[in-house]
Amino acid sequence: MFHKTKSVLATLAATAALSTGAFADGHAKLSGDLVIFSDMSNPAPRAVMEGMVERFGAMHPDLNIELTVIDREAYKTQIRNFLTANAPDVANWYAANRMKPYVDAGLFEDISDLWGEPELADLASTKGAMTLDGKQWGVPYTYYQWGVYYRKDIYEELGLSEPANFDEMKSNCQAIIDSGRKCYTIGTKFLWTAGGWFDYLNMRTNGYDYHAKLTGGEIPWTDAGVAATFANWRELIDMGAFIDNHTAYSWQESLPFIVSGDAAAILKGNFAVPPLREAGLDDSKLDFYQFPAITAGVELAEDAPTDTFHIPSAAKNKDAAKAFLKFVVSAENQTLINNGENLGQLPVNAKSSVDDDKFLKEGFEMLSSNSPGGVAQFFDRDAPAEMAKVAMEGFQEFMVKPDNLDKILARLDRAAQRIYK
Amino acid sequence: MSSTTEATTKNSWYKRNEIAATPWLFLIPGVAMFLLYVIFPIFQSINVSFYEWDGLGEAEWVGLGNYEELYWDDAFYVSLRNNLIWLVLYLLAIPAGLFIALFLNQTVTGIRLYKSLFFFPFVISQVVVGLVFTWFYDPTFGLLNQFLGVFGIDPINVLGDERYVTYGIIAAGIWPQTAYCMILYLTGLNAVDPEQIEAARLDGAKGWKMLWHIIVPQLKPATFIAFVVTIIGALRSFDLISIMTNGGPFGESRVLSFYMFEVALSEYGFRMGYGASIAVVLFLIMLCFITYFLWSMYKDEKGGR
């Protein structure tokens, strides 16, 4: 084991502290190999990942970092194999229920001690999403807001303003329909987009705690609250708020309708902004509002899915892995990787600054000051995977055949009794 | 001392039985691979189907529990029904292939080019076929609905409507399968005996009669192979469904193989035991056909001698 002297520490602090943050990994010099498996395979995230490795490597010249980037979809199936057979030291994954199978199987390392360190206190807002069984199992590196992205020019043309409650939302929608357009575009081919609508309608109708209990299996799907949510949803469906034939489209394929102006808005995460901008909707045409209140007195809660880093329990170099995790969540790194040129999302560290982008700023403000109800992950991360699949299929069926609701809810209830036993 | 005697006996035994033993020696690698990668996994799947297992933790013995759940599972019956529809409609590829083959079995300038063009859909990947048909069916921009629009027919959401989706995918699947059957029949037509045709012609056979009584019986081997590959192709249909609809809308286009993948291996799945029990059901269905094929092949071989 290498023990460094005070003078080495001082030199290191003097050279590295300015650029890498106050903690500068001053505990032990890192050496050996650090193997990282990442699912950040799209061009921008990939560059971010490579940049992080490069900067971390520069801080620890004795550390040999091996980065393997795996296609994001393929990663979802491969992670099961490599966590058991050939574990890296650091791996990407998602928060909340999505990490539960690996936590239950003992494949993720408990890093509660890391969360106990003062530097991680600035991540308090996301601590809940990383906590299972009272322990923390990973660190978040980015998250993004969900909300309604709408065509400002169409709203102006029709003399509409951002709705503050459900009645305004419906009257706006009626005006849009009367002008020959659809209110919302959505592509439900891959099901999860309908989960977003359910999240918001349920959180606005019944509140965050109810939603958390429902996705956690404590409230049956036959409950009156769920019925109220679907009744609200049905009002939108019956007035023709959603585009026709949405079952045939993915969310990307549903974007042309908002670009062409055949639909006025989309409920989506912030990742919808770059493709919409590329399609020609600049800030004068595209704007954002928080999903309006439905039931008076229910505190507003938001979806903000969090992407994470974990240490597999079979990792060989856990010291280096922990140092890397600390580096990833540091305020400076968070500011850098989440800016518009890189991920274009929100930093998880409260001391970071948000990039000067209209949507990121609005989203950050919404999440930090106007979501008193709480922050949910997303339907398929809050509910167990199996339940999410059955339920989202039900949502899609409901959007096409609202009359089948009783059958759908009975089916979900039966599935829930099996899954949550 | 003893080893030399052993070696000589072994050697002499091999020498004595060389003709009988050598084929088996050559078969050993193939048989070993077949046992390891085909037969053994079959029994492994059957075994896994008695467990509740997520692929990570401990497997829990549930006996016939997975099969009992299958019995109550609506999605399973939807898949089974779709499998039957696939089986029946996919067979249309055989007559379609036959007629294209008859049409192309002429001596015209450039016939090789036409043959290749007709064969083309079989060569391109199923993924590409799926994508092309997805665009073709697109309810807003697709060629099909543009065409229907000319006649004032409202757009049909083929892949997004649970009533049409399976038929839409089968139509896409029949396209390359027809090309496959066509090539089988084209080779079969080369072997048709010209003397018999001439004799039939002298007896006054023409058109349908000629086709049905003279040509088709001679194409029996080709028909048999076309039948085998089409049945198996229908039962293993997977990639088109995955590409075109992902099993949707609300699971109405699933077949057993896709449902098995969904519950066992896809993003929201990982119920290995349940997936295995679906695979076993599919295996039993295939077994019926395979037994029939083997039996009829055995009968033919016997009759041929």
Side-chain angles (χ1 to χ4, degrees):
Chain A
M1 208 51 208
F2 190 97
H3 290 282
K4 78 165 77 109
T5 61
K6 276 212 161 125
S7 65
V8 175
L9 202 154
T11 331
L12 195 104
T15 50
L18 285 172
S19 61
T20 58
F23 52 89
D25 300 286
H27 305 301
K29 198 165 182 185
L30 299 169
S31 58
D33 295 329
L34 176 66
V35 182
I36 302 174
F37 283 5
S38 173
D39 69 342
M40 297 163 76
S41 59
N42 288 331
R46 190 188 183 107
V48 165
M49 189 69 221
E50 285 165 355
M52 280 198 286
V53 166
E54 201 172 302
R55 279 177 286 126
F56 188 68
M59 287 160 56
H60 303 281
D62 293 342
L63 193 65
N64 173 33
I65 309 180
E66 274 177 52
L67 170 67
T68 309
V69 179
I70 300 163
D71 172 70
R72 198 175 172 99
E73 292 305 314
Y75 191 92
K76 288 173 184 167
T77 47
Q78 288 184 18
I79 186 171
R80 304 178 78 88
N81 296 337
F82 68 64
L83 283 182
T84 44
N86 173 29
D89 298 307
V90 172
N92 276 121
W93 195 236
Y94 312 108
N97 238 308
R98 264 308 186 73
M99 62 180 187
K100 194 167 189 298
Y102 308 110
V103 172
D104 287 348
L107 293 171
F108 277 163
E109 178 87 353
D110 169 12
I111 56 161
S112 305
D113 57 332
L114 194 68
W115 278 86
E117 293 185 24
E119 295 93 341
L120 271 81
D122 297 329
L123 308 177
S125 63
T126 50
K127 190 171 182 177
M130 303 311 305
T131 304
L132 283 173
D133 309 331
K135 297 171 193 145
Q136 285 78 44
W137 305 92
V139 296
Y141 67 91
T142 187
Y143 71 140
Y144 50 88
Q145 80 274 14
W146 271 63
V148 183
Y149 294 84
Y150 70 101
R151 284 289 296 270
K152 203 175 175 183
D153 50 337
I154 295 179
Y155 271 56
E156 276 164 8
E157 179 197 319
L158 301 172
L160 306 173
S161 55
E162 300 184 357
N165 55 50
F166 198 47
D167 287 331
E168 279 180 46
M169 185 172 164
K170 282 183 289 185
S171 67
N172 276 356
C173 186
Q174 195 57 52
I176 292 164
I177 291 169
D178 292 343
S179 75
R181 302 176 176 100
K182 294 289 185 182
C183 312
Y184 306 103
T185 186
I186 180 174
T188 58
K189 183 176 176 183
F190 294 101
L191 304 177
W192 56 269
T193 48
W197 272 94
F198 178 79
D199 274 351
Y200 272 97
L201 288 161
N202 196 38
M203 285 195 289
R204 292 291 183 268
T205 308
N206 299 310
Y208 175 82
D209 292 334
Y210 184 93
H211 187 68
K213 279 183 186 155
L214 180 71
T215 50
E218 291 169 44
I219 291 176
W221 282 85
T222 44
D223 192 72
V226 178
T229 299
F230 279 102
N232 287 329
W233 199 346
R234 174 141 199 183
E235 281 190 59
L236 293 175
I237 293 167
D238 284 349
M239 68 197 289
F242 300 98
I243 59 160
D244 298 326
N245 304 326
H246 52 77
T247 50
Y249 299 118
S250 67
W251 74 267
Q252 290 96 334
E253 288 165 338
S254 77
L255 294 180
F257 295 96
I258 182 169
V259 172
S260 67
D262 290 320
I266 184 168
L267 173 68
K268 191 72 16 199
N270 199 54
F271 53 82
V273 170
L276 287 175
R277 277 187 177 150
E278 274 163 36
L281 298 181
D282 56 24
D283 286 1
S284 70
K285 286 186 179 155
L286 191 65
D287 208 347
F288 169 85
Y289 64 78
Q290 187 172 15
F291 199 96
I294 295 180
T295 308
V298 166
E299 287 185 324
L300 300 182
E302 294 297 319
D303 266 347
T306 308
D307 292 350
T308 56
F309 278 105
H310 302 266
I311 304 176
S313 0
K316 290 177 197 76
N317 196 347
K318 287 179 184 164
D319 288 340
K322 281 183 182 170
F324 182 73
L325 261 46
K326 267 170 92 171
F327 162 76
V328 165
V329 297
S330 67
E332 291 85 354
N333 183 56
Q334 283 291 304
T335 305
L336 181 65
I337 67 167
N338 282 296
N339 71 20
E341 274 116 63
N342 291 306
L343 292 174
Q345 296 180 355
L346 296 171
V348 289
N349 192 312
K351 292 205 172 112
S352 313
S353 48
V354 178
D355 196 46
D356 188 21
D357 172 280
K358 177 172 138 182
F359 296 104
L360 287 180
K361 277 178 137 175
E362 279 190 42
F364 185 72
E365 194 157 308
M366 175 179 87
L367 288 173
S368 49
S369 64
N370 204 21
S371 58
V375 173
Q377 286 297 309
F378 189 75
F379 190 78
D380 66 359
R381 300 188 192 183
D382 291 324
E386 255 185 86
M387 190 68 223
K389 169 84 182 169
V390 183
M392 294 191 305
E393 220 164 77
F395 302 158
Q396 190 200 32
E397 183 175 348
F398 172 74
M399 287 187 74
V400 183
K401 295 178 157 184
D403 290 338
N404 287 3
L405 182 61
D406 291 340
K407 251 169 61 188
I408 296 168
L409 290 181
R411 193 165 71 221
L412 295 194
D413 199 46
R414 212 167 49 231
Q417 281 172 18
R418 174 173 58 76
I419 292 163
Y420 293 106
K421 70 181 174 205
Chain B
M1 172 104 169
S2 63
S3 66
T4 14
T5 16
E6 249 177 53
T8 36
T9 19
K10 241 187 209 163
N11 212 358
S12 60
W13 180 87
Y14 179 73
K15 277 271 177 273
R16 268 184 284 123
N17 299 285
E18 201 174 3
I19 302 295
T22 311
W24 291 104
L25 279 178
F26 279 110
L27 272 175
I28 283 173
V31 168
M33 287 288 176
F34 187 71
L35 287 176
L36 183 64
Y37 290 109
V38 179
I39 304 298
F40 174 63
I42 289 175
F43 287 101
Q44 214 177 16
S45 297
I46 295 174
N47 182 39
V48 169
S49 76
F50 298 125
Y51 289 89
E52 181 89 54
W53 185 41
D54 68 355
L56 291 174
E58 284 296 301
E60 185 197 339
W61 172 266
V62 292
L64 291 173
N66 285 321
Y67 293 94
E68 191 194 338
E69 199 189 322
L70 266 190
Y71 181 79
W72 297 107
D73 186 352
D74 295 338
F76 170 68
Y77 291 106
V78 170
S79 319
L80 202 60
R81 183 201 69 203
N82 284 339
N83 254 132
L84 289 176
I85 300 176
W86 270 87
L87 263 181
V88 173
L89 291 185
Y90 225 50
L91 290 176
L92 289 177
I94 297 175
L98 174 62
F99 285 110
I100 295 176
L102 290 171
F103 172 68
L104 289 177
N105 194 36
Q106 309 174 40
T107 35
V108 184
T109 347
I111 192 69
R112 286 186 177 200
L113 176 69
Y114 305 140
K115 279 182 188 170
S116 347
L117 285 178
F118 273 93
F119 187 59
F120 179 65
F122 184 70
V123 183
I124 54 178
S125 151
Q126 292 262 305
V127 176
V128 177
V129 173
L131 284 175
V132 168
F133 270 81
T134 308
W135 296 328
F136 175 71
Y137 287 141
D138 185 301
T140 318
F141 314 105
L143 200 59
L144 174 71
N145 286 302
Q146 302 281 348
F147 177 73
L148 290 177
V150 174
F151 300 98
I153 301 170
D154 283 340
I156 300 170
N157 183 9
V158 177
L159 296 181
D161 189 311
E162 78 282 2
R163 282 168 298 174
Y164 312 130
V165 62
T166 299
Y167 303 100
I169 302 173
I170 294 173
I174 283 183
W175 187 46
Q177 190 65 29
T178 303
Y180 193 8
C181 294
M182 177 204 79
I183 212 82
L184 290 172
Y185 278 121
L186 273 176
T187 23
L189 284 170
N190 280 336
V192 168
D193 188 355
E195 285 175 18
Q196 279 192 31
I197 294 179
E198 214 163 296
R201 202 166 272 154
L202 287 176
D203 287 342
K206 262 197 298 194
W208 283 107
K209 269 193 173 156
M210 170 79 103
L211 176 66
W212 190 248
H213 294 286
I214 308 298
I215 312 273
V216 170
Q218 293 196 59
L219 290 175
K220 205 183 160 213
T223 309
F224 181 72
I225 296 293
F227 192 63
V228 173
V229 294
T230 307
I231 292 281
I232 292 181
L235 283 172
R236 56 190 281 186
S237 52
F238 173 86
D239 24 17
L240 283 176
I241 295 167
S242 174
I243 291 296
M244 294 173 76
T245 63
N246 208 25
F250 33 94
E252 284 288 329
S253 63
R254 282 182 185 126
V255 295
L256 288 176
S257 58
F258 188 79
Y259 191 42
M260 186 264 290
F261 165 80
E262 253 189 322
V263 299
L265 299 165
S266 76
E267 193 179 343
Y268 301 114
F270 300 114
R271 299 182 65 202
M272 297 301 172
Y274 197 52
S277 68
I278 299 168
V280 168
V281 171
L282 185 61
F283 173 70
L284 292 177
I285 297 172
M286 284 218 182
L287 205 59
C288 296
F289 287 99
I290 292 166
T291 315
Y292 166 74
F293 293 146
L294 288 178
W295 175 72
S296 75
M297 259 195 318
Y298 174 73
K299 215 177 52 173
D300 278 5
E301 289 281 309
K302 251 176 110 181
R305 259 176 219 164

